[in-house]
Amino acid sequence: MWTRISLSTLILWILSSEQYVESTCTQPSSEWSGNWYDSQFDGTFAMTWSGSAITVSGWSVTAYSSTVTSWTCVLEDTTNNYIVFKGDQTVNLFGAPQNAYICMAWTSVSTYSAIYYLRANQETNAGNFRVFIEDSAITMGAASKYCSPSSGPSTAEYHALVKQSYISSVGQYFPTLLLGTYEYTANDGSSSLCGTGSVWDNCADRTITAFNYTQCSTVMAFSSGGTLYNVYSVVSGSYTYVTLVNADTTTDQSTTYRFTCLISEASGSNVQLSLDHGSCSTSGTPSTVPSGGMTALLTPYEPCPFTTTSATTTSITTITTTSATTTTGATSEETSSGSIGLFIGAAIGGLLFILIIIGVIIICLKLKKKKNVVQDEEKKQMPPQGKYLPPINGECVIETMSPRDALEIGTPDADNRLTPLPIHPAAPEPVTQPDKHPLPPITNNG
């Protein structure tokens, strides 16, 4: 009996022990297996997918003077797209081994690209890296335990992943702010570079930034070839954050890097931005020269219209992780470049339509007013029509008549009637009397 109880207890203890828990991660998918570029470490990492075991090498995290270089997926939350990786090496804290956990909240951007946030507080003993450190004697909990920071990452604190050999397949449309061909003046903190005649082109292909180094030979955006693809962009406040991936075959991690972050904002009709390598820094600004980077002022030669038809453009959901009470998922705080363009285009179109309607109404009112003025002038110039009345105060008065008055036969006004003639009795007809002295008769004497 004792043996059976002890054996059962041992089995239950082993099943509940964190040392026995095997990876059961199934997300994101086996397509993630392979080598990837990661903007967070500005280099590469390898993800190996073997059955239900997912391991990652290339992520290097140093905490308490110990470095963890390989990780295994141990937990997942498919509802929130959380993946929890546990360090294969422990961290030594004054002789006591500690486990390191990374919680990745990921979002797919395209088949070969994704972005993720680290769901953990910043660890001061790990260079402010977002990692969860826990005594190795503590039993591993649920994913929510390692993915619920009290002060999580901001909207702009994302990291980009691009699968190797597929850089040309991950391009997304630039946000409207950066859709144009520009002249640019750069500043590396000590001198002004380029300027008149330089070309920064985001129009020839709205997913690519292309520099013409024949006009200005200064290497821009840490790319010796001058071609970079837009991986992802997000708007936070007045700033637009853009992550570019360098199409150079190789990078030296000194003058050229795989990823470039642009932090940009409108400056009148121009665009002010800063360029730094790796993931975007939430402490950066468009006008501050980052260490080893530069700023640039873009003056547009011409804008290029926004369109939404692209084989490489993918609608994505975004993640907001600003506090412990904030949950991941689709939010309106992060605006994809396609949505901004559509909203702005619709707003401009609606405004133009309203202005056209107002213009037509104003023109019609003016024409009507002009017609009325002309008719009034014509009436003033027409001779008066009507009947003349007796002079009043020496002035001739004319009583106006309507066409109906002109055709009507009526009794004249009492004041205008003629005075009737007096009636006299007829004189008696005189009576003819015989002449007392008649003329002698005429005789014919001959």
Side-chain angles (χ1 to χ4, degrees):
M1 179 66 66
W2 180 88
T3 304
R4 290 180 181 178
I5 294 175
S6 298
L7 183 59
S8 300
T9 303
L10 178 62
I11 292 174
L12 289 174
W13 179 84
I14 292 175
L15 289 175
S16 62
S17 173
E18 50 132 344
Q19 284 80 6
Y20 185 80
V21 174
E22 293 184 355
S23 169
T24 57
C25 298
T26 59
Q27 61 171 342
S29 72
S30 59
E31 292 179 358
W32 277 44
S33 185
N35 294 327
W36 292 74
Y37 297 117
D38 184 357
S39 66
Q40 178 182 204
F41 298 100
D42 219 1
T44 63
F45 76 93
M47 178 177 286
T48 303
W49 199 293
S50 178
S52 60
I54 304 173
T55 59
V56 172
S57 61
W59 283 348
S60 180
V61 177
T62 300
Y64 298 102
S65 301
S66 299
T67 301
V68 181
T69 58
S70 61
W71 307 76
T72 300
C73 179
V74 292
L75 296 167
E76 67 178 357
D77 179 344
T78 56
T79 300
N80 295 303
N81 279 5
Y82 292 164
I83 305 177
V84 179
F85 293 93
K86 175 188 169 187
D88 295 334
Q89 299 84 33
T90 58
V91 174
N92 186 1
L93 177 61
F94 304 114
Q98 308 287 311
N99 286 327
Y101 296 91
I102 289 179
C103 176
M104 172 194 288
W106 66 275
T107 300
S108 179
V109 179
S110 72
T111 303
Y112 304 108
S113 63
I115 60 104
Y116 68 92
Y117 292 85
L118 292 182
R119 296 280 300 167
N121 293 323
Q122 290 181 318
E123 177 58 60
T124 56
N125 293 301
N128 286 329
F129 188 84
R130 293 188 179 277
V131 60
F132 190 100
I133 304 295
E134 182 180 63
D135 193 298
S136 60
I138 298 176
T139 301
M140 185 173 63
S144 58
K145 176 181 178 179
Y146 306 101
C147 301
S148 302
S150 59
S151 180
S154 65
T155 302
E157 200 178 341
Y158 66 89
H159 308 287
L161 299 175
V162 174
K163 196 167 187 178
Q164 290 188 29
S165 302
Y166 293 96
I167 289 178
S168 62
S169 301
V170 302
Q172 304 294 304
Y173 273 133
F174 280 96
T176 303
L177 179 65
L178 292 173
L179 278 177
T181 301
Y182 305 90
E183 173 187 285
Y184 61 94
T185 301
N187 190 307
D188 61 3
S190 60
S191 59
S192 180
L193 307 166
C194 300
T196 304
S198 58
V199 177
W200 180 318
D201 184 11
N202 290 345
C203 277
D205 184 324
R206 295 173 181 82
T207 67
I208 295 175
T209 285
F211 296 97
N212 190 329
Y213 287 155
T214 60
Q215 275 87 2
C216 179
S217 60
T218 300
V219 172
M220 296 294 296
F222 309 99
S223 173
S224 61
T227 299
L228 303 98
Y229 290 83
N230 174 26
V231 180
Y232 184 73
S233 63
V234 66
V235 176
S236 180
S238 62
Y239 295 169
T240 298
Y241 297 82
V242 180
T243 297
L244 307 177
V245 61
N246 186 358
D248 289 355
T249 303
T250 59
T251 57
D252 59 18
Q253 309 303 107
S254 175
T255 59
T256 59
Y257 292 87
R258 187 57 63 190
F259 290 94
T260 297
C261 168
L262 307 180
I263 304 178
S264 57
E265 68 175 342
S267 178
S269 60
N270 302 325
V271 178
Q272 177 67 51
L273 55 80
S274 61
L275 301 93
D276 198 3
H277 60 83
S279 296
C280 293
S281 170
T282 55
S283 62
T285 71
S287 57
T288 302
V289 179
S291 178
M294 61 178 61
T295 59
L297 180 66
L298 279 56
T299 302
Y301 286 122
E302 61 176 351
C304 48
F306 181 85
T307 59
T308 58
T309 303
S310 172
T312 58
T313 300
T314 306
S315 298
I316 63 173
T317 56
T318 52
I319 303 171
T320 299
T321 54
T322 55
S323 67
T325 58
T326 303
T327 59
T328 59
T331 70
S332 59
E333 291 182 356
E334 298 180 12
T335 307
S336 69
S337 56
S339 298
I340 294 177
L342 288 175
F343 286 137
I344 292 177
I348 293 175
L351 180 60
L352 288 176
F353 179 76
I354 292 173
L355 291 176
I356 291 173
I357 296 298
I358 293 174
V360 171
I361 292 174
I362 291 174
I363 293 173
C364 291
L365 291 176
K366 286 186 175 181
L367 291 175
K368 183 176 180 180
K369 183 177 180 181
K370 183 176 180 181
K371 180 179 180 181
N372 291 338
V373 170
V374 171
Q375 291 177 346
D376 291 343
E377 291 295 329
E378 291 176 350
K379 289 180 179 179
K380 290 179 180 178
Q381 296 175 4
M382 291 176 62
Q385 298 179 359
K387 61 182 179 178
Y388 290 89
L389 300 177
I392 299 176
N393 295 330
E395 295 183 358
C396 183
V397 179
I398 300 176
E399 180 183 9
T400 59
M401 298 177 61
S402 66
R404 182 176 180 180
D405 294 337
L407 297 175
E408 182 179 0
I409 300 176
T411 305
D413 297 337
D415 295 338
N416 296 330
R417 295 176 182 177
L418 297 177
T419 304
L421 295 176
I423 300 175
H424 299 282
E429 192 173 320
V431 180
T432 305
Q433 297 291 333
D435 192 355
K436 295 179 179 181
H437 301 283
L439 293 175
I442 298 173
T443 59
N444 188 359
N445 292 325

